[in-house]
Amino acid sequence: MKEPLYEKDLTTMKYDILVSQRHDRMVREIAADLGVPQLKVRRYIMDHFDMILMENLPARYEQGKRVQEEAPEPERYLGAYLYTHAVPLIGEDCMDEIISGVKEMIRGGTSMDQAVLSGKSRLREAIAP
Amino acid sequence: MKRTVDVSIPVGPVHPCWKEPTRVKCETRGEFVLSAEVELGYMKKGIERIMQGRPWQEVMFLAERVCGICSVIHNMVFIEALEKMSSIEVPERAALLRVIVNELDRMQSHILANFSYCYTIEHETLGMYLLDSREKVLDELERITGARITCAYMVPGGVRFDLRSEDALHLRASMDMLEKEITRYTGMFEHGPLIALRSRGIGILTRDAAREACAVGPTARASGLPESDRRLHHPTYRKLGFTPISREEGDNFARIMMRFQEMLQSISLIRKCLDILPVGPIRGGGIPGAGEIAYSGEAPRGELSYFIRTDAAGRVIDIAIQTPSIMNIEACCHYMLTGVASMADVPSTFVSSDPCIACTER
């Protein structure tokens, strides 16, 4: 059987997009926010996003951060809009589950910071198990 | 018995309706498009890398070469970024001449985009009429700047050539003729029943989706986002009393009509500039120095941003270019194409967002 003409491995090209100046800054910020190694964030993006979404990520990320600032707590601290819509690292259902878990903890008497930390660790598990 | 199967249909990289090579992979159920993804990399130029380490005098020519359709705005944004960074003033006459040339460039780009759409939906007659009008606009660009595409008209502190009085008269006459033509073609497009069948209610981009995908330019404004127009923040446009146009439908029809309306708006802006064009110098002088800046301008396709860092000798140390097509192609493939009822509407919907692959693969 012949080799496909256009079905190529896009890993190198995707990596080249991700190491450009603005993409690199975005990956570093996301990795620091979630406490995930940069390598894993890059890997996740390369595996799940197509090339045009990857090219558009810095613009979406900046816009997502602006929207995020106006979100209520604890959604703002967990990056509910940022990580589901702007840079879709996680599904909406999964994020809703994490948010309701965090809200439940807050209602149960856990401090906001502790509950958010626990939510972030669940985010980490979802993105980089 | 008739069966419906799920298939992945690649469109491109070489397709009769694409102006440049790109590959759109559509996941379909029968004719219904479930999702689409884009593969790039067929014409990557690496122009940002080429720019690094070069003096601004070289980079200003390279910037124009990012895109062969809207080259003027790349020149304008790069030069204005340097001017802002180094506090270089531009004489009023030069600022208005920049607007004239920029609006001519916008017109020719919009005409080409609408030609491509008409060609894609098999309305070649209107397409050819439009190309004829584009030649008139390019002739005016050549008359003022000396070149049709890569004009390099703007330099730090002003523009390269003045507008002679006989050229101004010619420009006014051309604007009158183009206004008549564009109005006629807008009517043809607006009232054509077959055009409506291929365009109305197809490839809808809602306002929320446009905002989420960061859509810009006529694509965003056709979905009810007039505030996305960067000309609102430009001092010369503000002096001209510029107000953006927008539509609410968000479909293919709205995007094309948006461009027709903006062409008429450009004609009116050019006339305003000619009316108030003062006598005076066209170059104020000034040399770009060291600095760092993020600067945006309104290209024909939307917001174009340059992120530049230079050293004391005016060499470009770092540069990143965010072109509008990146956002618009993403909006098109992940929002407009999702849910398109027929594969036959994929090329027309894609073309309606005026995708520029040269810009995307800068």
Side-chain angles (χ1 to χ4, degrees):
Chain A
M1 195 174 152
K2 283 183 180 172
E3 288 281 305
L5 194 56
Y6 295 117
E7 287 295 334
K8 305 281 185 203
D9 179 18
L10 303 173
T11 312
T12 330
M13 282 195 285
K14 284 186 169 184
Y15 183 76
D16 285 345
I17 294 174
L18 273 190
V19 293
S20 72
Q21 189 195 106
R22 295 179 67 228
H23 284 82
D24 191 52
R25 194 183 306 146
M26 179 202 70
V27 167
R28 282 168 196 273
E29 283 181 22
I30 291 175
D33 182 39
L34 295 176
V36 180
Q38 289 168 30
L39 201 68
K40 285 200 171 176
V41 177
R42 282 200 192 96
R43 186 79 250 174
Y44 187 92
I45 290 174
M46 283 160 65
D47 287 346
H48 293 83
F49 297 173
D50 74 340
M51 289 176 89
I52 195 70
L53 177 56
M54 285 178 64
E55 284 277 16
N56 200 16
L57 280 180
R60 290 177 75 113
Y61 179 67
E62 293 301 325
Q63 179 253 13
K65 280 203 296 190
R66 284 195 294 273
V67 173
Q68 193 62 37
E69 278 168 20
E70 288 157 21
E73 294 170 352
E75 284 89 337
R76 192 192 324 160
Y77 301 129
L78 290 167
Y81 179 85
L82 189 65
Y83 298 128
T84 54
H85 289 84
V87 184
L89 293 173
I90 191 165
E92 269 184 83
D93 293 345
C94 185
M95 182 57 95
D96 287 345
E97 215 173 278
I98 293 170
I99 288 169
S100 46
V102 168
K103 282 183 175 168
E104 192 66 39
M105 284 174 77
I106 294 167
R107 271 196 295 273
T110 314
S111 70
M112 173 71 80
D113 289 351
Q114 278 298 319
V116 168
L117 274 178
S118 141
K120 286 230 165 137
S121 89
R122 288 188 64 191
L123 265 176
R124 263 196 302 279
E125 281 166 28
I127 294 165
Chain B
M1 190 185 147
K2 206 167 156 187
R3 284 194 309 136
T4 305
V5 291
D6 293 3
V7 282
S8 171
I9 301 178
V11 186
V14 181
H15 187 278
C17 294
W18 281 191
K19 281 181 287 182
E20 296 153 294
T22 188
R23 190 160 185 248
V24 182
K25 287 203 301 193
C26 299
E27 298 286 329
T28 63
R29 175 165 298 153
E31 268 202 302
F32 192 78
V33 181
L34 300 173
S35 66
E37 63 177 77
V38 181
E39 282 180 14
L40 302 167
Y42 295 98
M43 51 183 295
K44 182 77 184 168
K45 294 191 286 289
I47 212 157
E48 288 161 323
R49 181 70 191 83
I50 299 169
M51 285 170 169
Q52 281 170 16
R54 290 179 187 271
W56 67 265
Q57 293 93 330
E58 285 181 21
V59 176
M60 66 172 270
F61 293 108
L62 281 169
E64 284 194 313
R65 280 148 181 84
V66 170
C67 180
I69 301 169
C70 56
S71 53
V72 168
I73 189 70
H74 279 273
N75 176 219
M76 186 164 165
V77 171
F78 178 72
I79 294 296
E80 287 191 349
L82 293 182
E83 284 169 352
K84 199 168 179 198
M85 201 166 67
S86 308
S87 307
I88 297 170
E89 292 294 321
V90 181
E92 200 185 340
R93 186 175 174 86
L96 290 168
L97 286 175
R98 282 182 180 186
V99 170
I100 291 174
V101 171
N102 189 30
E103 289 308 312
L104 284 171
D105 190 53
R106 187 180 317 282
M107 283 173 73
Q108 62 86 12
S109 172
H110 280 359
I111 293 175
L112 188 65
N114 284 4
F115 152 76
S116 297
Y117 184 79
C118 292
Y119 181 81
T120 307
I121 61 165
E122 290 295 332
H123 201 310
E124 286 185 36
T125 310
L126 181 51
M128 292 303 156
Y129 284 159
L130 285 168
L131 278 189
D132 180 46
S133 296
R134 184 172 183 257
E135 283 305 305
K136 293 188 181 91
V137 181
L138 287 174
D139 286 346
E140 287 308 319
L141 262 178
E142 189 177 8
R143 197 182 307 278
I144 300 170
T145 69
R148 285 159 61 92
I149 304 292
T150 42
C151 312
Y153 185 60
M154 289 145 212
V155 289
V159 293
R160 221 174 260 276
F161 309 110
D162 203 354
L163 182 73
R164 294 173 300 185
S165 54
E166 61 267 33
D167 290 343
L169 281 175
H170 202 284
L171 182 60
R172 271 187 198 277
S174 290
M175 288 303 111
D176 291 346
M177 193 190 287
L178 280 162
E179 188 178 34
K180 276 188 204 138
E181 288 179 5
I182 301 297
T183 308
R184 182 173 158 235
Y185 304 151
T186 309
M188 283 170 77
F189 190 86
E190 198 172 6
H191 304 298
L194 292 176
I195 291 172
L197 271 177
R198 294 295 310 270
S199 315
R200 283 190 196 262
I202 292 166
I204 291 175
L205 180 72
T206 61
R207 186 194 301 232
D208 287 341
R211 204 169 275 143
E212 189 173 297
C214 305
V216 286
T219 305
R221 291 193 282 279
S223 297
L225 292 175
E227 66 275 12
S228 64
D229 201 319
R230 289 299 305 176
R231 286 176 287 179
L232 278 168
H233 307 281
H234 194 283
T236 318
Y237 280 95
R238 277 158 73 168
K239 201 181 288 176
L240 292 167
F242 172 78
T243 42
I245 311 167
S246 73
R247 294 178 75 96
E248 294 297 323
E249 306 98 307
D251 54 6
N252 290 358
F253 181 81
R255 284 186 283 278
I256 304 302
M257 280 302 292
M258 192 69 235
R259 289 192 197 97
F260 274 124
Q261 286 173 281
E262 285 198 357
M263 283 180 226
L264 294 171
Q265 188 185 37
S266 294
I267 291 172
S268 132
L269 282 168
I270 291 170
R271 282 196 187 124
K272 267 190 196 171
C273 288
L274 290 172
D275 289 342
I276 61 166
L277 198 65
V279 179
I282 56 160
R283 281 193 217 179
I287 298 168
E292 188 170 0
I293 196 170
Y295 187 83
S296 301
E298 184 69 15
R301 294 179 180 84
E303 184 178 338
L304 168 71
S305 305
Y306 271 65
F307 307 86
I308 308 168
R309 188 156 62 90
T310 55
D311 66 7
R315 268 192 302 266
V316 173
I317 304 300
D318 251 334
I319 187 162
I321 308 167
Q322 181 179 282
T323 59
S325 287
I326 294 172
M327 287 87 111
N328 291 339
I329 295 176
E330 209 260 301
C332 173
C333 291
H334 295 155
Y335 298 88
M336 293 177 207
L337 290 182
T338 305
V340 160
S342 167
M343 264 309 288
D345 291 328
V346 169
S348 61
T349 303
F350 188 70
V351 170
S352 79
S353 69
D354 194 9
C356 179
I357 310 300
C359 277
T360 310
E361 305 220 42
R362 60 230 176 270

